[in-house]
């Protein structure tokens, strides 16, 4: 994709702090890290997010993430990680080339996850049936 910033990074048209690369996947430091070592794991072939990315590519994305975690842990002394993929703008996706965030976590780093809410009445049962019937 011509105007895709991650495609440009992959083609080395713009620089990045690259920590891993193979034929299909690249990983580099996020330019605006939530915490030091915040890494983006990115398939080289352009797709938008999990909805249009082939299962095989997603498997590779997870396998490489698994490989990177101990290296990031050793380099940053992280005590844990949040792993996430934002899918579509409503969910905070700003770059429309699929990428997985590895966010190292540290004691007292002040980063907070959102709070859960609760289902009302039989909302959960209705949703369970609806989702499973759509599989
Ligand atoms: P999203 O919100 O789409 O899940 O996350 C996009 C991420 O890409 C953000 O965390 C942002 O800081 C990062 N990012 C955006 N542009 C660049 C760039 O040019 N280089 C690097 N390394 N990261 C970028
Ligand atoms: Zn792209």
């Amino acid at each position: 994709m011509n105007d895709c910033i991650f495609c440009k990074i992959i083609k080395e048209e713009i620089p990045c702090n690259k920590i891993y690369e193979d034929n299909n996947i690249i990983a580099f430091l996020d330019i605006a890290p939530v915490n030091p070592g915040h890494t983006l794991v990115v398939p080289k072939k352009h797709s938008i997010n999990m909805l249009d990315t082939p299962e095989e590519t997603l498997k590779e994305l997870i396998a490489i993430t698994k490989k990177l975690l101990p290296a990031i842990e050793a380099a940053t002394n992280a005590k844990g990680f949040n792993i996430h993929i934002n899918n579509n703008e409503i969910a905070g996706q700003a770059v429309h080339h699929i990428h997985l965030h590895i966010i190292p976590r540290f004691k007292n780093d002040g980063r907070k996850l959102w709070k859960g809410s609760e289902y009302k009445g039989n909302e959960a049962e209705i949703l369970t049936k609806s989702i499973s019937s759509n599989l």
Side-chain angles (χ1 to χ4, degrees):
M1 301 287 278
N2 286 339
D3 55 350
C4 171
I5 190 116
F6 286 176
C7 282
K8 287 182 181 162
I9 287 176
I10 289 157
K11 286 187 274 178
E12 297 187 338
E13 289 172 8
I14 61 171
C16 72
N17 291 109
K18 192 190 299 181
I19 62 176
Y20 176 86
E21 182 172 23
D22 64 26
N23 285 340
N24 301 324
I25 305 282
I26 185 171
F28 49 85
L29 294 182
D30 195 296
I31 204 167
V34 170
N35 275 332
H38 181 169
T39 296
L40 302 175
V41 194
V42 186
K44 287 185 173 175
K45 187 172 184 329
H46 184 96
S47 59
I48 296 168
N49 57 39
M50 285 188 74
L51 298 166
D52 68 332
T53 300
E55 192 175 319
E56 277 313 307
T57 306
L58 294 173
K59 285 181 184 167
E60 281 187 82
L61 201 62
I62 293 296
I64 299 306
T65 298
K66 168 89 175 150
K67 186 185 174 79
L68 295 174
L69 288 181
I72 298 171
E73 184 180 41
T76 64
N77 203 23
K79 302 302 179 208
F81 298 95
N82 291 110
I83 307 290
H84 74 264
I85 297 174
N86 296 326
N87 294 270
N88 288 343
E89 264 170 33
I90 190 82
Q93 183 175 12
V95 175
H96 299 281
H97 180 135
I98 185 170
H99 52 282
L100 178 150
H101 293 257
I102 301 176
I103 301 180
R105 296 300 304 270
F106 304 93
K107 199 161 186 250
N108 300 323
D109 65 9
R111 306 304 181 201
K112 297 241 185 307
L113 299 180
W114 51 75
K115 283 202 163 61
S117 56
E118 61 183 39
Y119 285 113
K120 303 266 182 319
N122 62 351
E123 209 181 343
E125 287 73 20
I126 291 168
L127 265 177
T128 302
K129 280 193 190 122
S130 174
I131 294 168
S132 50
S133 70
N134 276 291
L135 284 174

